[in-house]
Amino acid sequence: MEKILTMRQHRIASIPADGIGPEVIEAGLEVLDALTARGVGFTLKIDRYDWGSDYYRRHGAFMPADALAWLRTADAIYFGAVGDPNIPDHISLWGLRLQICQGLDQYANVRPTRILPGITSPLRNVGPGDLDWLIIRENSEGEYAGQGGRTHRGRPEEVATETAIFTRHGVERIMRYAFEQAAARPRRHLTVVTKSNAQRFGMVLWDEIAGLVSHDFPNVTWDKELVDAMTMRMVLKPRGIDTVVATNLHADILSDLAAALAGSLGIAPTGNVDPSRKNPSMFEPIHGSAFDITGKGIANPVASFWTAAMMLEHLGEKPAADLLMRAVEQVCTNGLLTPDLGGKATTKEVTRAVCEALRGMNA
Ligand code: GGG
């Protein structure tokens, strides 16, 4: 009997959104096309969604009411950036990115940091191999719980609250996820970041739960650090850091610092992951819409490529993800860098070079 070979297909929802988002996501899709054209054993079906700030201007919402139902039909989401100079940032962020992350319970925001070969860190005597971190950002509650309000608007007696919420459920699940990630890395070390000297309720709960969860991971060493001290440690002793877990806000700040120490925000990827896999996870460059360089053709597409590799790994396509990263590293090593990394290359030149590297590379 003739054997029928079926090719795996992954369905990707692409949401380029705002600013340089469409430029870097288009570059990422081009590179993914070059990758799958090699015959890597799977195909990608791309569903394109035009949601974002322009959609908001036309429809009064950043995405349709049934958007999450559409996204649930995908295996993963490939997101660009959100933010528009004419719309307050808190409207656009909550209207799109946070609606998706919270609506699809993507409670773990995973942010790897490495200095890629060919890229120079602003830190003295720190090169590839010296800085290899995985920052886990709690992505469903904390300072982004959306609890608070304003009364007596515009009057001298105006009051505003912004309440951080830490639940045992939320802290325990992110802590467990962080210990699991640390256990899977060579150095098996986790640093739990809080501000539990000054914030004596939610942050102390974090410390307590870290202690409890650590008993289930005897192979992982761990320590605690206050967020202010962590910024110094990242700059002064980067080699001693491996996996880091922190609250929604703290990890957001730390990972921008991490990206800068690795060379540029333009290379940093992230995954908004639902570890239960009941919902699709969403992958995006860490950077925002960058309106100062939108349309100039110089946005760094490396974060978008690394993001695509993270997405492939999540989809179970690790060999293809590794191949893609090898192609990116080859291009960086050859010195083809965009202006944020001190080079003169355009988005298109870097994209073309990565596609060519993919075509010429042995598996
Ligand atoms: N691609 C990431 C992105 O668009 N970020 C927009 C932003 O403003 N994020 C703020 C945050 O996540 O805290």
Side-chain angles (χ1 to χ4, degrees), residues 61-141:
F62 282 82
M63 55 184 193
D66 57 356
L68 296 185
W70 283 103
L71 294 179
R72 284 196 183 94
T73 65
D75 297 309
I77 304 162
Y78 191 35
F79 186 87
V82 63
D84 183 286
N86 299 313
I87 301 173
D89 285 341
H90 65 279
I91 305 282
S92 55
L93 185 64
W94 279 92
L96 190 62
R97 202 183 149 268
L98 295 182
Q99 287 258 7
I100 298 171
C101 293
Q102 296 189 355
L104 297 180
D105 207 18
Q106 297 162 343
Y107 67 83
N109 185 256
V110 182
R111 302 187 157 195
T113 309
R114 262 190 313 124
I115 302 175
L116 300 180
I119 292 181
T120 312
S121 167
L123 293 176
R124 222 179 16 224
N125 302 326
V126 173
D130 293 325
L131 193 159
D132 183 0
W133 303 337
L134 187 70
I135 299 179
I136 312 286
R137 171 183 180 186
E138 201 293 318
N139 212 32
S140 67
E141 54 174 39

Side-chain angles (χ1 to χ4, degrees), residues 155-196:
R155 298 164 62 103
E157 64 272 30
E158 180 164 3
V159 54
T161 59
E162 191 83 52
T163 308
I165 305 276
F166 300 99
T167 65
R168 182 169 285 276
H169 170 72
V171 178
E172 188 172 338
R173 68 181 182 172
I174 197 64
M175 204 59 77
R176 197 163 287 285
Y177 182 79
F179 269 100
E180 281 164 7
Q181 296 302 306
R185 286 166 59 83
R187 286 187 285 159
R188 296 199 302 248
H189 184 78
L190 178 67
T191 300
V192 178
V193 174
T194 64
K195 187 66 186 167
S196 57

Side-chain angles (χ1 to χ4, degrees), residues 79-345:
F79 186 87
V82 63
D84 183 286
N86 299 313
I87 301 173
D89 285 341
H90 65 279
I91 305 282
S92 55
L93 185 64
W94 279 92
L96 190 62
R97 202 183 149 268
L98 295 182
Q99 287 258 7
I100 298 171
C101 293
Q102 296 189 355
L104 297 180
D105 207 18
Q106 297 162 343
Y107 67 83
N109 185 256
V110 182
R111 302 187 157 195
T113 309
R114 262 190 313 124
I115 302 175
L116 300 180
I119 292 181
T120 312
S121 167
L123 293 176
R124 222 179 16 224
N125 302 326
V126 173
D130 293 325
L131 193 159
D132 183 0
W133 303 337
L134 187 70
I135 299 179
I136 312 286
R137 171 183 180 186
E138 201 293 318
N139 212 32
S140 67
E141 54 174 39
E143 307 86 345
Y144 285 57
Q147 298 276 333
R150 288 172 68 174
T151 45
H152 312 302
R153 274 184 191 248
R155 298 164 62 103
E157 64 272 30
E158 180 164 3
V159 54
T161 59
E162 191 83 52
T163 308
I165 305 276
F166 300 99
T167 65
R168 182 169 285 276
H169 170 72
V171 178
E172 188 172 338
R173 68 181 182 172
I174 197 64
M175 204 59 77
R176 197 163 287 285
Y177 182 79
F179 269 100
E180 281 164 7
Q181 296 302 306
R185 286 166 59 83
R187 286 187 285 159
R188 296 199 302 248
H189 184 78
L190 178 67
T191 300
V192 178
V193 174
T194 64
K195 187 66 186 167
S196 57
N197 55 346
Q199 296 181 302
R200 54 203 166 129
F201 307 114
M203 295 288 80
V204 173
L205 179 69
W206 266 67
D207 283 346
E208 283 174 15
I209 290 177
L212 289 173
V213 173
S214 72
H215 297 309
D216 295 337
F217 296 88
N219 293 335
V220 178
T221 57
W222 72 287
D223 60 356
K224 290 188 277 185
E225 197 70 87
L226 298 176
V227 65
D228 44 342
M230 190 65 188
T231 57
M232 278 199 300
R233 187 165 152 189
M234 287 166 70
V235 173
L236 299 176
K237 294 183 180 165
R239 292 176 191 85
I241 300 169
D242 177 25
T243 314
V244 176
V245 63
T247 71
N248 217 326
L249 181 63
H250 290 167
D252 183 43
I253 297 165
L254 293 180
S255 54
D256 267 30
L257 173 60
L261 297 178
S264 166
L265 196 57
I267 63 167
T270 185
N272 303 280
V273 177
D274 171 8
S276 77
R277 292 187 178 254
K278 287 185 190 141
N279 297 288
S281 294
M282 179 164 82
F283 298 84
E284 59 176 334
I286 285 184
H287 64 69
S289 48
F291 267 84
D292 52 334
I293 57 163
T294 299
K296 294 188 176 166
I298 54 164
N300 192 341
V302 167
S304 171
F305 301 157
W306 193 344
T307 294
M310 277 185 88
M311 178 169 74
L312 292 179
E313 190 167 345
H314 179 82
L315 292 170
E317 306 293 358
K318 173 120 171 74
D322 289 347
L323 198 65
L324 174 50
M325 282 314 288
R326 265 174 51 209
V328 171
E329 287 179 15
Q330 185 177 307
V331 170
C332 292
T333 306
N334 291 345
L336 196 69
L337 304 173
T338 45
D340 56 303
L341 290 168
K344 288 198 165 70

